[in-house]
């Protein structure tokens, strides 16, 4: 039978970087490198199936050191939006842990900076947070006299046995991850948003790792303060991760403060990132780069064309076991 299929809208984003790095690793020595880097090809596919039903797929083509490429479906969802106050999505979505993870996705063009904050790095890039969820999301916005109030509630598969194990088709311990984020935008202060989030999960054991014979009970709580009204951009977030294991509670945390000021097409910016990782948190043990860290980022973004941005950035990173200095030039664009 023939039928009228819904239209598909396709948008793409990618970036090219030139990176100059100086790394000093304790007990190893110095390493200097410079290289061009082809960023991931990010495809946004959207479709309006009906007046109140839509679909979205975000497909990422990532390029690896040996010349190979890999395909990741980062988001894939069906959304029902009968009311502004209520909509429901099912599929793979971004977990409502903080402002950045909901506001920005995988395209570097969308960021003022070259990279995401350390605390919101993706799971397969050494991130400490579960930034993706597979399950059901309920969300909505209430328009009241004081301002707009938003909620996002997710229930889905929990973490796997490692930080980068996203359980797409199974849930090892049948315990579902639950998360909630609330945010407010007061009309009296245009551009201001404040919010908080909380997440609960039960991480399954990993018998292959000493000390991981039992479940880990995870509680993540965070808050954000955002002010985005031209020419200002002020983003401040903090996330605290509590891991209960072997009868003990271990606290890790991370956050950032980002400031930017637009001058026409130019936007100079500064960001301070921090991570504090508990020595007793076995879930993070051995992860490269996941350790006590402070990072200063200085840069400037120039919107050369509507969908082309040029960025120049310097990063100074001071971690527990290594120190690095990076200079990056980036061309990011959408098409």
């Amino acid at each position: 039978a023939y039928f009228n299929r819904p239209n598909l809208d396709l948008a793409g984003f990618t970036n090219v970087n030139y990176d100059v790095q100086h790394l000093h690793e304790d007990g190893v020595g110095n390493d200097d490198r410079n290289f061009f880097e082809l960023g991931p090809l990010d495809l946004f596919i959207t479709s309006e199936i009906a007046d109140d039903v839509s679909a979205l797929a975000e497909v990422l083509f990532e390029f690896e050191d040996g010349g190979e490429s890999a395909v990741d479906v980062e988001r894939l969802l069906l959304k029902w939006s009968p009311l502004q106050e209520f909509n429901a999505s099912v599929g793979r979505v971004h977990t409502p842990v903080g402002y950045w993870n909901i506001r920005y996705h995988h395209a570097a063009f969308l960021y003022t900076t070259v990279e995401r904050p350390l605390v919101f790095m993706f799971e397969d890039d050494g991130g400490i947070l579960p930034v993706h969820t597979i399950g059901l999301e309920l969300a909505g916005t209430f328009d009241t006299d004081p301002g707009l109030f938003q909620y996002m509630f997710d229930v889905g598969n929990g973490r796997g046995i490692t930080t980068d194990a996203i359980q797409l088709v199974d849930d090892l311990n049948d315990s579902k991850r639950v998360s909630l984020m609330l945010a407010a935008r007061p009309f009296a202060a245009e551009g201001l948003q404040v919010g908080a989030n909380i997440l609960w999960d039960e991480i399954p054991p990993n018998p292959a790792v000493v000390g991981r014979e039992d479940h880990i009970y995870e509680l993540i709580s965070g808050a954000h303060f955002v002010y985005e009204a031209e020419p200002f951009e002020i983003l401040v977030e903090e996330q605290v991760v509590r891991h209960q294991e072997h009868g003990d509670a271990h606290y890790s945390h991370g956050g950032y403060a980002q400031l930017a000021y637009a001058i026409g097409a130019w936007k100079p910016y500064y960001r301070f990132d921090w991570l504090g990782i508990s020595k007793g948190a076995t879930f993070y043990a051995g992860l490269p780069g996941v350790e006590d860290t402070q990072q200063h980022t200085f840069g400037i973004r120039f919107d050369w064309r509507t969908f082309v941005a040029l960025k120049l950035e310097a990063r100074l990173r001071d971690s527990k076991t290594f120190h690095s200095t990076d200079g990056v030039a980036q061309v990011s664009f959408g098409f």
Side-chain angles (χ1 to χ4, degrees):
Y2 293 95
F3 59 93
N4 292 324
R5 292 177 296 173
N7 292 328
L8 288 178
D9 290 325
L10 175 64
F13 297 91
T14 192
N15 60 274
V16 180
N17 296 356
Y18 178 66
D19 200 325
V20 178
Q21 297 180 346
H22 172 76
L23 172 67
H24 175 79
E25 190 172 358
D26 294 350
V28 177
N30 297 327
D31 184 23
D32 295 302
R33 304 174 62 209
N34 71 88
F35 52 90
F36 286 97
E37 177 186 8
L38 182 60
L41 172 60
D42 191 7
L43 299 181
F44 284 85
I45 305 166
T46 57
S47 177
E48 297 295 328
I49 298 174
D51 290 342
D52 59 350
V53 179
S54 62
L56 180 147
E58 184 177 7
V59 182
L60 209 65
F61 295 82
E62 297 180 288
F63 308 105
E64 301 175 353
D65 291 343
E68 301 86 2
S69 59
V71 180
D72 281 331
V73 179
E74 299 293 349
R75 287 189 294 162
L76 181 60
L77 61 99
L78 181 71
K79 184 176 182 179
W80 176 45
S81 306
L83 300 168
Q84 174 181 286
E85 295 81 7
F86 175 82
N87 59 72
S89 301
V90 62
R92 176 169 176 165
V93 300
H94 277 196
T95 314
V97 283
Y99 176 81
W100 187 287
N101 200 48
I102 296 301
R103 174 67 174 81
Y104 301 106
H105 299 292
H106 292 255
F109 174 79
L110 304 176
Y111 315 158
T112 296
T113 53
V114 169
E115 290 187 344
R116 297 166 67 89
L118 294 178
V119 69
F120 289 117
M121 296 298 285
F122 296 116
E123 295 95 338
D124 55 0
D125 291 330
I128 68 171
L129 300 176
V131 297
H132 294 91
T133 289
I134 296 88
L136 174 66
E137 178 180 275
L138 306 178
T141 301
F142 292 91
D143 192 344
T144 68
D145 290 338
L148 299 177
F149 291 87
Q150 180 187 30
Y151 71 92
M152 300 185 73
F153 171 78
D154 282 26
V155 56
N157 291 342
R159 296 229 215 194
I161 60 175
T162 60
T163 56
D164 60 349
I166 302 173
Q167 301 190 100
L168 298 173
V169 295
D170 197 2
D171 196 350
L172 292 178
N173 60 7
D174 293 329
S175 176
K176 297 298 167 281
R177 180 166 67 207
V178 178
S179 56
L180 173 67
M181 187 169 81
L182 302 174
R185 285 185 171 269
F187 292 137
E190 184 179 355
L192 175 65
Q193 175 174 311
V194 293
N197 60 271
I198 191 166
L199 178 150
W200 183 88
D201 192 15
E202 182 180 335
I203 301 171
N206 184 358
V209 176
V210 176
R212 287 288 311 281
E213 297 82 10
D214 296 329
H215 291 261
I216 299 173
Y217 298 96
E218 180 175 66
L219 182 68
I220 300 175
S221 55
H224 65 267
F225 172 93
V226 173
Y227 181 71
E228 293 180 298
E230 291 290 347
F232 296 99
E233 176 183 293
I234 303 172
L235 311 176
V236 182
E237 300 197 60
E238 169 82 357
Q239 298 290 327
V240 178
V241 182
R242 180 184 187 271
H243 283 166
Q244 181 80 29
E245 47 186 316
H246 306 298
D248 297 321
H250 303 286
Y251 291 87
S252 302
H253 67 96
Y256 71 95
Q258 180 173 310
L259 310 174
Y261 186 87
I263 308 170
W266 299 86
K267 182 182 283 189
Y269 59 84
Y270 166 76
R271 186 170 74 211
F272 178 63
D273 289 89
W274 62 87
L275 290 176
I277 307 299
S278 171
K279 294 181 180 178
T282 59
F283 191 57
Y284 297 138
L287 285 177
V290 178
E291 55 185 288
D292 292 353
T293 298
Q294 294 184 350
Q295 179 171 282
H296 298 274
T297 301
F298 305 86
I300 188 166
R301 172 181 173 136
F302 173 59
D303 287 295
W304 183 53
R305 296 291 188 269
T306 303
F307 291 105
V308 181
L310 311 177
K311 306 174 192 177
L312 193 61
E313 184 174 289
R315 294 192 293 266
L316 308 175
R317 183 165 177 169
D318 185 10
S319 294
K320 186 177 180 180
T321 61
F322 71 93
H323 313 276
S324 64
T325 304
D326 289 86
V328 186
Q330 181 186 83
V331 180
S332 59
F333 56 97
F335 54 93

